[in-house]
Amino acid sequence: MSHVPPSSTSSSPRRTALDAVHRALGATMTDFAGWDMPLRYGSERDEHNAVRTRAGLFDLSHMGEITVTGPEAARLLDYALVGNIGAVAVGRARYTMICREDGGILDDLIVYRLGEDEYMVVANASNAQTVLDALTGRAAGFDAEVRDDRDAYALLAVQGPESPGILKSLTDADLDGLKYYAGLPGTVAGVPALIARTGYTGEDGFELFVEPRYAERLWQALTEAGEGVGLVPCGLSCRDTLRLEAGMPLYGNELTTGLTPFDAGLGRVVKFEKTSNDGDFVGRPALEAAAERAASAPPRKLVGLVAEGRRVPRAGYQVVVGGVTVGEITSGAPSPTLGRPIAMAYVDASHAEPGTAGVGVDIRGSHEPYEVVALPFYKRQK
């Protein structure tokens, strides 16, 4: 993939290769992690429902791609990240995290193994520079190169039950054989792409990594291919409600440097049984201690909350029982699918069981009743 220069100066938000398309469609734009991104095109509820029932098209070009290559690329990633990256087969992807020495989460990531000695690490836009700096620092002593490829890719996502049919009409790649969390090189509407069966919506779907110069062409081709089945352009606002319903964490809300993966209920991503580097990786001692704490007496657990009323909780609101604070909301929004406000929250373990009675949320001084439920709120039918 060729490099292109940054699309704007550092003082103003950067614009993706699809910026003109978004403006022509009348999108409401917002500054997100230093990028000018579409928040919504019309009704965020309609966009949300389109992804759940038909298909939605997203511009995710703000995500941070970092390429790691070389004979010791796998060893470097096994050392730098908490996952067992060396065990990922070529053509597959893995959800993982990068942590500090004290076990705090720097970011959650998807790592694609593109070749025997080539990986692509995809970081959240807000953390891309942090992840790049950490990987570069941790690469010392390894025969591997860490390359900033944020300007080399545009990223489009088509998500929803109609997405396989839409994409099949534009490519001869073997989509039926493409498993969840796998990726393969192919051509979509004549555009060379990495086709990945990944997403952040709780639906089946695909993410397409392409050179920025092809982004508009691909967007238009997908739009035309989806016209007959109800595909609509979708902004970041509905992406947030979709991921919330699917119980997927958002960095800065459910995941922070003040929490370990075990605190977030995602200890499964930490692999202590790595074979490379003698099992050594950044944060291992702290994470072993966190695993023991989580197994014995976790201080708080991440749970789902469903409102009995109509008032919407927001991040930072207190979860209360009998007037005593027992937790804090991390994400909250109206759920178009459930028809009621929902939230994720860290609550004391003693009040974390689904069905726990007497739990409320302090919304501007009023303690609104909420039901504790298991995550996710929504799971698609296979």
Side-chain angles (χ1 to χ4, degrees), residues 23-319:
R23 293 172 194 280
L25 289 169
T28 299
M29 305 296 286
T30 188
D31 184 343
F32 182 81
W35 290 83
D36 215 10
M37 297 296 295
L39 190 63
R40 69 181 73 81
Y41 299 85
S43 156
E44 55 202 55
R45 177 180 292 269
D46 289 347
E47 292 172 25
H48 179 110
N49 289 333
V51 175
R52 284 277 177 260
T53 59
R54 302 184 305 279
L57 179 59
F58 297 83
D59 177 12
L60 305 179
S61 302
H62 60 312
M63 300 295 281
E65 296 87 4
I66 301 161
T67 303
V68 181
T69 57
E72 292 189 320
R75 280 194 62 218
L76 163 59
L77 290 171
D78 275 344
Y79 170 72
L81 311 180
V82 301
N84 189 357
I85 307 304
V88 178
V90 173
R92 297 307 301 267
R94 183 69 45 85
Y95 175 77
T96 188
M97 294 182 184
I98 182 167
C99 291
R100 303 192 305 191
E101 286 283 2
D102 66 1
I105 303 165
L106 283 171
D107 201 13
D108 61 335
L109 313 162
I110 296 179
V111 179
Y112 297 88
R113 189 168 195 169
L114 304 181
E116 194 59 37
D117 297 329
E118 183 180 7
Y119 295 81
M120 181 169 67
V121 177
V122 182
N124 286 297
S126 56
N127 296 327
Q129 189 64 48
T130 298
V131 174
L132 177 67
D133 291 345
L135 286 175
T136 302
R138 294 173 190 187
F142 290 94
D143 187 3
E145 180 197 354
V146 176
R147 188 173 72 237
D148 180 0
D149 269 348
R150 284 176 288 178
D151 294 331
Y153 292 102
L155 176 57
L156 283 66
V158 55
Q159 298 278 302
E162 298 287 352
S163 57
I166 292 168
L167 205 54
K168 278 181 188 176
S169 71
L170 297 173
T171 184
D172 55 8
D174 179 18
L175 298 186
D176 290 335
L178 187 64
K179 295 183 173 70
Y180 187 50
Y181 267 73
L184 83 169
T187 303
V188 182
V191 172
L194 172 66
I195 305 168
R197 200 163 207 154
T198 45
Y200 193 50
T201 63
E203 298 298 334
D204 191 11
F206 303 87
E207 295 184 320
L208 308 170
F209 296 84
V210 300
E211 289 186 50
R213 61 186 170 133
Y214 294 131
E216 276 200 37
R217 181 168 142 195
L218 184 56
W219 179 279
Q220 299 299 352
L222 288 164
T223 298
E224 289 166 18
E227 274 175 353
V229 292
L231 174 137
V232 300
C234 292
L236 295 182
S237 186
C238 84
R239 191 169 185 249
D240 191 49
T241 53
L242 289 160
R243 71 92 194 165
L244 178 56
E245 287 185 350
M248 295 175 167
L250 174 66
Y251 194 89
N253 292 44
E254 287 73 41
L255 309 175
T256 69
T257 52
L259 296 168
T260 73
F262 294 95
D263 296 323
L266 291 165
R268 64 182 179 276
V269 307
V270 181
K271 305 299 181 186
F272 294 114
E273 69 282 6
K274 305 183 192 193
T275 53
S276 64
N277 309 313
D278 296 321
D280 181 37
F281 60 93
V282 176
R284 178 171 186 137
L287 289 168
E288 285 177 330
E292 287 182 24
R293 286 197 306 272
S296 56
R300 285 188 168 177
K301 286 186 173 180
L302 187 64
V303 302
L305 297 173
V306 178
E308 294 181 19
R310 312 302 304 175
R311 299 186 72 183
V312 179
R314 299 298 181 189
Y317 286 12
Q318 300 303 299
V319 181

